[in-house]
Amino acid sequence: ARRRSARKANAATATMGVETKTQKGYFPSRPTPLLDSLGPDGPQGLRSMTVEQLKDVAEEVRWQVLDAVSVSGGHLGAGLGVVDLTVALHAVYDTPRDELCWDVAHQCQPHKVLTGRRDRIYTLRQGGGLSGFAKRSESEYDAFGAGHSSTSISAAVGFQTARDRQGKPGHSVAIIGDGAITGGMAWEAMNHAGGLKSKVLVILNDNGQVSLPTFYNSVETPVGALSETLAGTQAERRGLGIQDNIARIETSNVYQQARQMAKQASKSLFPGVLSNAAAKLDEYSRDFVKTVPFRGSGAGSKGELFEQLGFYYVGPIDGHNMETLVEVLRNIKQQHEDGTLQKPVFLHIKTQKGKGYLPA
């Protein structure tokens, strides 16, 4: 039904005479051979590309978003910040079977470019054109239609719960950020996900805009306790590089298998109280390693906050490092599939709002 409604939307746009990708914006034109090779069929071609090719695709998508928004107007900075993440997600996960829930959904312009709507990307926010947000009737790749905000985690948990009850394979991913993490529904959903031990992936796009007002509203620093917790520590390239390496290790099969063996051993060798203490030692030691020794890592004792809600916390990692994004996402996907991780995962990424275009 969603495929039929998406085709109807495409046909309606064509009959209304809305211009397609032959339209050009105000940025200098450039070749986009890899993006062109995907055609109208969506992101399946990404899954056979090398990491170096995925980096090139990200640059082509970034140009396409800039050129389109120069015509249509609208949100720009948040979308530019998740270009690398969007490419990595579509390269690793089997979309549209695997749901991507965007929150706030104005981050999804790169997603639209990659999912068969590039030929209409210049119609963003125009009458008869593409929506500025995710829209289920527009594409089967838009799993959940939402504008503002904080609803993605609930949606992802619902999708995953339905899939598990039906015994179907697949994954649900919530990408939340740009102010959405402060909403009460997000925390209610994390409470629910942790209680269910739902195998969802929640990705926090931490671009420094955690709560309103932010420095974009002419204040020196964002306000609120979450801003201090999540965005109060400045990330530097060297520190994030160390965190990237830690994330690769702690999501690897070898590490997870050793961790599970240690847990089983502690349960067998120690009585209940000591066994619980050993589990806490695992959480605290991981949080310590992420935070204390590495200045500029952007960590700042966050992991325990989400671990207490029943999540396995990973990060923070560099949201513009394609190698790290692809490896960590593949590891998490595999461990949810084979049952090594029997709980939700909270992946914390640091991104730069407006990446690649200074005015944004």
PDB file of all heavy atoms in Angstrom, residues 15 25 50 52 69 110 181 209 214 227 257 269 273 283 296 307-308 315 334:
ATOM      1  N   THR A  15       2.296  15.301 -13.032  1.00  0.00           N
ATOM      2  CA  THR A  15       1.179  15.909 -13.753  1.00  0.00           C
ATOM      3  C   THR A  15       1.035  17.381 -13.411  1.00  0.00           C
ATOM      4  O   THR A  15       0.489  18.154 -14.192  1.00  0.00           O
ATOM      5  CB  THR A  15      -0.134  15.192 -13.422  1.00  0.00           C
ATOM      6  OG1 THR A  15      -0.351  15.228 -12.009  1.00  0.00           O
ATOM      7  CG2 THR A  15      -0.083  13.743 -13.884  1.00  0.00           C
ATOM      8  N   GLY A  25      20.430  24.790  -9.125  1.00  0.00           N
ATOM      9  CA  GLY A  25      20.431  25.809  -8.102  1.00  0.00           C
ATOM     10  C   GLY A  25      21.527  26.830  -8.342  1.00  0.00           C
ATOM     11  O   GLY A  25      21.968  27.047  -9.480  1.00  0.00           O
ATOM     12  N   THR A  50      32.894   0.480  -1.705  1.00  0.00           N
ATOM     13  CA  THR A  50      33.942   0.548  -0.688  1.00  0.00           C
ATOM     14  C   THR A  50      33.725   1.774   0.188  1.00  0.00           C
ATOM     15  O   THR A  50      32.948   2.677  -0.154  1.00  0.00           O
ATOM     16  CB  THR A  50      35.326   0.652  -1.343  1.00  0.00           C
ATOM     17  OG1 THR A  50      35.421   1.910  -2.043  1.00  0.00           O
ATOM     18  CG2 THR A  50      35.561  -0.494  -2.321  1.00  0.00           C
ATOM     19  N   GLU A  52      35.812   4.144   0.666  1.00  0.00           N
ATOM     20  CA  GLU A  52      36.284   5.326  -0.074  1.00  0.00           C
ATOM     21  C   GLU A  52      35.206   5.822  -1.030  1.00  0.00           C
ATOM     22  O   GLU A  52      35.013   7.038  -1.189  1.00  0.00           O
ATOM     23  CB  GLU A  52      37.570   4.993  -0.839  1.00  0.00           C
ATOM     24  CG  GLU A  52      38.773   4.766   0.058  1.00  0.00           C
ATOM     25  CD  GLU A  52      39.059   5.949   0.967  1.00  0.00           C
ATOM     26  OE1 GLU A  52      39.008   7.099   0.470  1.00  0.00           O
ATOM     27  OE2 GLU A  52      39.318   5.729   2.163  1.00  0.00           O
ATOM     28  N   VAL A  69      18.544  23.241  -1.808  1.00  0.00           N
ATOM     29  CA  VAL A  69      18.021  24.174  -0.814  1.00  0.00           C
ATOM     30  C   VAL A  69      18.287  25.620  -1.233  1.00  0.00           C
ATOM     31  O   VAL A  69      17.565  26.533  -0.823  1.00  0.00           O
ATOM     32  CB  VAL A  69      18.604  23.858   0.579  1.00  0.00           C
ATOM     33  CG1 VAL A  69      18.168  24.897   1.616  1.00  0.00           C
ATOM     34  CG2 VAL A  69      18.147  22.476   1.025  1.00  0.00           C
ATOM     35  N   PRO A 110      19.237  14.532   2.997  1.00  0.00           N
ATOM     36  CA  PRO A 110      20.142  13.575   2.346  1.00  0.00           C
ATOM     37  C   PRO A 110      19.479  12.214   2.139  1.00  0.00           C
ATOM     38  O   PRO A 110      19.718  11.551   1.121  1.00  0.00           O
ATOM     39  CB  PRO A 110      21.320  13.482   3.323  1.00  0.00           C
ATOM     40  CG  PRO A 110      21.268  14.752   4.106  1.00  0.00           C
ATOM     41  CD  PRO A 110      19.823  15.087   4.239  1.00  0.00           C
ATOM     42  N   ILE A 181      16.037  15.438  21.655  1.00  0.00           N
ATOM     43  CA  ILE A 181      16.309  14.520  22.761  1.00  0.00           C
ATOM     44  C   ILE A 181      15.743  15.033  24.079  1.00  0.00           C
ATOM     45  O   ILE A 181      15.585  14.276  25.036  1.00  0.00           O
ATOM     46  CB  ILE A 181      17.831  14.256  22.895  1.00  0.00           C
ATOM     47  CG1 ILE A 181      18.129  13.086  23.846  1.00  0.00           C
ATOM     48  CG2 ILE A 181      18.551  15.518  23.367  1.00  0.00           C
ATOM     49  CD1 ILE A 181      17.626  11.762  23.369  1.00  0.00           C
ATOM     50  N   GLN A 209      23.234  21.313  19.500  1.00  0.00           N
ATOM     51  CA  GLN A 209      21.920  21.911  19.694  1.00  0.00           C
ATOM     52  C   GLN A 209      21.051  20.885  20.425  1.00  0.00           C
ATOM     53  O   GLN A 209      20.329  20.109  19.819  1.00  0.00           O
ATOM     54  CB  GLN A 209      21.266  22.293  18.362  1.00  0.00           C
ATOM     55  CG  GLN A 209      19.925  22.980  18.565  1.00  0.00           C
ATOM     56  CD  GLN A 209      19.438  23.689  17.310  1.00  0.00           C
ATOM     57  OE1 GLN A 209      20.239  24.029  16.450  1.00  0.00           O
ATOM     58  NE2 GLN A 209      18.142  23.921  17.229  1.00  0.00           N
ATOM     59  N   THR A 214      19.494  27.961  21.788  1.00  0.00           N
ATOM     60  CA  THR A 214      20.868  27.553  21.560  1.00  0.00           C
ATOM     61  C   THR A 214      21.657  28.762  21.087  1.00  0.00           C
ATOM     62  O   THR A 214      21.128  29.875  20.979  1.00  0.00           O
ATOM     63  CB  THR A 214      20.946  26.471  20.471  1.00  0.00           C
ATOM     64  OG1 THR A 214      20.673  27.072  19.197  1.00  0.00           O
ATOM     65  CG2 THR A 214      19.927  25.369  20.722  1.00  0.00           C
ATOM     66  N   SER A 227      22.069  19.894  28.050  1.00  0.00           N
ATOM     67  CA  SER A 227      23.133  20.572  27.298  1.00  0.00           C
ATOM     68  C   SER A 227      24.464  20.425  28.015  1.00  0.00           C
ATOM     69  O   SER A 227      25.503  20.193  27.389  1.00  0.00           O
ATOM     70  CB  SER A 227      22.801  22.054  27.126  1.00  0.00           C
ATOM     71  OG  SER A 227      21.665  22.231  26.326  1.00  0.00           O
ATOM     72  N   GLN A 257      31.976 -11.222  22.921  1.00  0.00           N
ATOM     73  CA  GLN A 257      32.004 -12.609  23.376  1.00  0.00           C
ATOM     74  C   GLN A 257      32.772 -12.743  24.682  1.00  0.00           C
ATOM     75  O   GLN A 257      32.347 -13.469  25.599  1.00  0.00           O
ATOM     76  CB  GLN A 257      32.615 -13.492  22.293  1.00  0.00           C
ATOM     77  CG  GLN A 257      31.710 -13.680  21.084  1.00  0.00           C
ATOM     78  CD  GLN A 257      32.424 -14.286  19.895  1.00  0.00           C
ATOM     79  OE1 GLN A 257      33.603 -14.628  19.978  1.00  0.00           O
ATOM     80  NE2 GLN A 257      31.718 -14.423  18.790  1.00  0.00           N
ATOM     81  N   LEU A 269      30.479 -17.967  39.759  1.00  0.00           N
ATOM     82  CA  LEU A 269      31.461 -17.988  40.834  1.00  0.00           C
ATOM     83  C   LEU A 269      31.052 -17.175  42.049  1.00  0.00           C
ATOM     84  O   LEU A 269      31.501 -17.453  43.169  1.00  0.00           O
ATOM     85  CB  LEU A 269      32.810 -17.474  40.313  1.00  0.00           C
ATOM     86  CG  LEU A 269      33.467 -18.317  39.214  1.00  0.00           C
ATOM     87  CD1 LEU A 269      34.701 -17.605  38.677  1.00  0.00           C
ATOM     88  CD2 LEU A 269      33.848 -19.693  39.767  1.00  0.00           C
ATOM     89  N   VAL A 273      24.776 -10.719  45.110  1.00  0.00           N
ATOM     90  CA  VAL A 273      25.207  -9.332  45.345  1.00  0.00           C
ATOM     91  C   VAL A 273      26.530  -9.062  44.657  1.00  0.00           C
ATOM     92  O   VAL A 273      26.720  -8.025  43.992  1.00  0.00           O
ATOM     93  CB  VAL A 273      25.317  -9.052  46.860  1.00  0.00           C
ATOM     94  CG1 VAL A 273      25.893  -7.663  47.095  1.00  0.00           C
ATOM     95  CG2 VAL A 273      23.945  -9.173  47.519  1.00  0.00           C
ATOM     96  N   GLU A 283      30.236  -1.588  33.774  1.00  0.00           N
ATOM     97  CA  GLU A 283      29.686  -0.320  33.295  1.00  0.00           C
ATOM     98  C   GLU A 283      30.580   0.847  33.685  1.00  0.00           C
ATOM     99  O   GLU A 283      30.895   1.723  32.862  1.00  0.00           O
ATOM    100  CB  GLU A 283      28.281  -0.114  33.862  1.00  0.00           C
ATOM    101  CG  GLU A 283      27.246  -1.099  33.347  1.00  0.00           C
ATOM    102  CD  GLU A 283      25.896  -0.904  34.000  1.00  0.00           C
ATOM    103  OE1 GLU A 283      25.716   0.140  34.673  1.00  0.00           O
ATOM    104  OE2 GLU A 283      25.025  -1.773  33.849  1.00  0.00           O
ATOM    105  N   GLY A 296      39.313  16.188  25.260  1.00  0.00           N
ATOM    106  CA  GLY A 296      38.758  16.479  23.949  1.00  0.00           C
ATOM    107  C   GLY A 296      38.004  15.334  23.338  1.00  0.00           C
ATOM    108  O   GLY A 296      37.688  15.354  22.154  1.00  0.00           O
ATOM    109  N   GLU A 307      23.081   3.659  30.314  1.00  0.00           N
ATOM    110  CA  GLU A 307      23.196   2.282  30.768  1.00  0.00           C
ATOM    111  C   GLU A 307      22.161   1.982  31.858  1.00  0.00           C
ATOM    112  O   GLU A 307      21.604   0.882  31.923  1.00  0.00           O
ATOM    113  CB  GLU A 307      24.612   2.015  31.311  1.00  0.00           C
ATOM    114  CG  GLU A 307      25.725   2.153  30.274  1.00  0.00           C
ATOM    115  CD  GLU A 307      26.067   0.834  29.598  1.00  0.00           C
ATOM    116  OE1 GLU A 307      25.527  -0.201  30.012  1.00  0.00           O
ATOM    117  OE2 GLU A 307      26.891   0.865  28.649  1.00  0.00           O
ATOM    118  N   GLN A 308      21.872   2.963  32.708  1.00  0.00           N
ATOM    119  CA  GLN A 308      20.890   2.761  33.763  1.00  0.00           C
ATOM    120  C   GLN A 308      19.475   2.598  33.202  1.00  0.00           C
ATOM    121  O   GLN A 308      18.589   2.062  33.877  1.00  0.00           O
ATOM    122  CB  GLN A 308      20.919   3.928  34.749  1.00  0.00           C
ATOM    123  CG  GLN A 308      22.130   3.952  35.654  1.00  0.00           C
ATOM    124  CD  GLN A 308      22.176   2.760  36.590  1.00  0.00           C
ATOM    125  OE1 GLN A 308      21.143   2.269  37.033  1.00  0.00           O
ATOM    126  NE2 GLN A 308      23.363   2.262  36.894  1.00  0.00           N
ATOM    127  N   GLY A 315      30.141   5.256  22.314  1.00  0.00           N
ATOM    128  CA  GLY A 315      30.490   6.587  21.863  1.00  0.00           C
ATOM    129  C   GLY A 315      31.095   7.437  22.966  1.00  0.00           C
ATOM    130  O   GLY A 315      31.416   6.928  24.037  1.00  0.00           O
ATOM    131  N   GLN A 334      25.106  -6.799  13.395  1.00  0.00           N
ATOM    132  CA  GLN A 334      25.414  -8.224  13.479  1.00  0.00           C
ATOM    133  C   GLN A 334      25.133  -8.775  14.869  1.00  0.00           C
ATOM    134  O   GLN A 334      24.587  -9.880  15.024  1.00  0.00           O
ATOM    135  CB  GLN A 334      26.881  -8.457  13.103  1.00  0.00           C
ATOM    136  CG  GLN A 334      27.295  -9.929  13.118  1.00  0.00           C
ATOM    137  CD  GLN A 334      26.488 -10.763  12.133  1.00  0.00           C
ATOM    138  OE1 GLN A 334      26.306 -10.375  10.993  1.00  0.00           O
ATOM    139  NE2 GLN A 334      25.998 -11.915  12.589  1.00  0.00           N
TER     140      GLN A 334
END
